[in-house]
Amino acid sequence: MGAIYRREMGAFFTSGLAYVFLSVFFLFSGYFFYAGTLQSGTTDTSAMFNALFLVVLFLIPILTMRLLSEEKKQKTDQGLLTAPIGLWSIVLGKYFAALTLFIIAESISFVYALILSAYGTVVWATLIANYFAMLILGAAFIAVGLFISSLTENQMASAVASFLALMLLYMLDEIEQSISIEFIQKILSALSFYSRFTEFTMGIFNLSSVIFYISAVFIFNFFTVRILEKRRWS
C-alpha cells in the first residue's frame, strides 16, 4: 500500500492536479472566511465550513477522476492487478493519497483560526468539530469518487458521474420533502449527507453520523475492490 500511496502522491503533484485543487480550495475558503467570518465580526467559522460543502462537492470529482480511470485508459491496470499486491492495498493506497491532499487543503482553516486569534477569542472546540465534520464528509465523498473512477476509463466521464452522484446525495433532503410516503422519507433522511454535516456546524456531535460517514467510506471502497476483483479475473 505504501508504494501505491507514494506513487499517487507523486502523480498528483507532477501532473499539476494537486496545485489546481489546492489553489481553488484556498481561493474559495479564503473568500468564505472573509465574507462569512471577518465581515460578520465573529470568530465562529461555522458559516465558512457550511459554505464549503458545495465547493467540496465540485472539487472531489476532480481529485478522484484519474485515480483508476487513467490506469484503465493507459492499460497499466493489468500490470497493477497482476502484481503481487492485494486489491485492498491498491484501493487504500489511492484512497489515502487523495485523502491526504484533501487534509492538506482543509488544514488552511487552522491558519484562519490563528488570524482570528489575533483579534479575539477563538472557540477551538467549535473549529475542531467543523474541521472533523468536513474531514469525514470529504473522506466519504472521496470513496464515492474512487468507486466511480473504477467504472470507466474516461476521466471526464468519471468526474461528471461523480459530481452527479454527490449532487444526488446533497439533494436527498429536498427529495425527501417532495415525497409524502413516510417510510421513503425515513430512508432518505437516514441517507442524508448534508443534514448530518450541518449537525456538526451547529455544534451537535452525533456519534451515529460519524458511524454513517465511516460506513460510507468502507462500503464504497469495498465496491471498488469488487470491481477490481472482477476485472482481475475477466
Side-chain angles (χ1 to χ4, degrees):
M1 185 177 77
I4 299 294
Y5 173 83
R6 290 189 294 271
R7 174 192 175 207
E8 291 303 319
M9 286 300 296
F12 276 135
F13 285 94
T14 55
S15 67
L17 180 60
Y19 301 108
V20 173
F21 177 81
L22 293 173
S23 297
V24 174
F25 190 95
F26 291 160
L27 176 65
F28 278 99
S29 64
Y31 171 76
F32 291 131
F33 170 67
Y34 173 76
T37 304
L38 292 182
Q39 280 198 329
S40 300
T42 178
T43 58
D44 186 0
T45 55
S46 296
M48 178 190 72
F49 280 100
N50 202 23
L52 281 174
F53 185 99
L54 285 176
V55 176
V56 169
L57 191 149
F58 277 94
L59 287 180
I60 291 297
I62 297 174
L63 182 63
T64 61
M65 65 181 184
R66 55 161 293 280
L67 288 176
L68 285 168
S69 60
E70 186 179 44
E71 301 275 7
K72 190 175 182 180
K73 182 178 181 180
Q74 295 183 352
K75 309 301 181 184
T76 56
D77 60 328
Q78 294 303 315
L80 192 63
L81 294 175
T82 55
I85 182 174
L87 294 179
W88 273 104
S89 295
I90 296 172
V91 171
L92 291 181
K94 290 176 175 291
Y95 173 79
F96 283 120
L99 183 61
T100 298
L101 194 58
F102 180 77
I103 291 173
I104 293 172
E106 191 192 358
S107 295
I108 191 67
S109 58
F110 291 108
V111 175
Y112 299 149
L114 292 176
I115 294 173
L116 289 175
S117 65
Y119 299 97
T121 302
V122 177
V123 182
W124 288 99
T126 302
L127 175 69
I128 292 173
N130 280 283
Y131 179 89
F132 178 72
M134 182 64 70
L135 173 61
I136 57 178
L137 173 75
F141 278 0
I142 289 170
V144 174
L146 179 60
F147 167 66
I148 294 176
S149 179
S150 70
L151 300 176
T152 177
E153 65 179 29
N154 189 306
Q155 293 186 38
M156 187 57 66
S158 173
V160 172
S162 296
F163 170 73
L164 292 176
L166 298 183
M167 181 61 74
L168 177 62
L169 294 175
Y170 168 66
M171 296 180 63
L172 286 180
D173 290 316
E174 294 186 17
I175 297 174
E176 176 196 349
Q177 294 175 5
S178 64
I179 295 177
S180 57
I181 304 175
E182 185 177 354
F183 84 93
I184 296 181
Q185 286 182 329
K186 290 182 178 179
I187 292 174
L188 293 177
S189 178
L191 295 176
S192 173
F193 275 62
Y194 183 68
S195 63
R196 292 178 183 275
F197 173 75
T198 54
E199 286 180 350
F200 287 94
T201 62
M202 293 185 294
I204 302 172
F205 182 85
N206 191 336
L207 182 59
S208 65
S209 295
V210 176
I211 296 173
F212 171 82
Y213 285 121
I214 294 175
S215 298
V217 170
F218 174 79
I219 289 169
F220 281 100
N221 279 333
F222 175 79
F223 287 161
T224 305
V225 169
R226 296 282 74 81
I227 292 295
L228 294 186
E229 186 175 45
K230 181 180 179 181
R231 193 180 301 166
R232 169 178 276 182
W233 298 109
S234 64

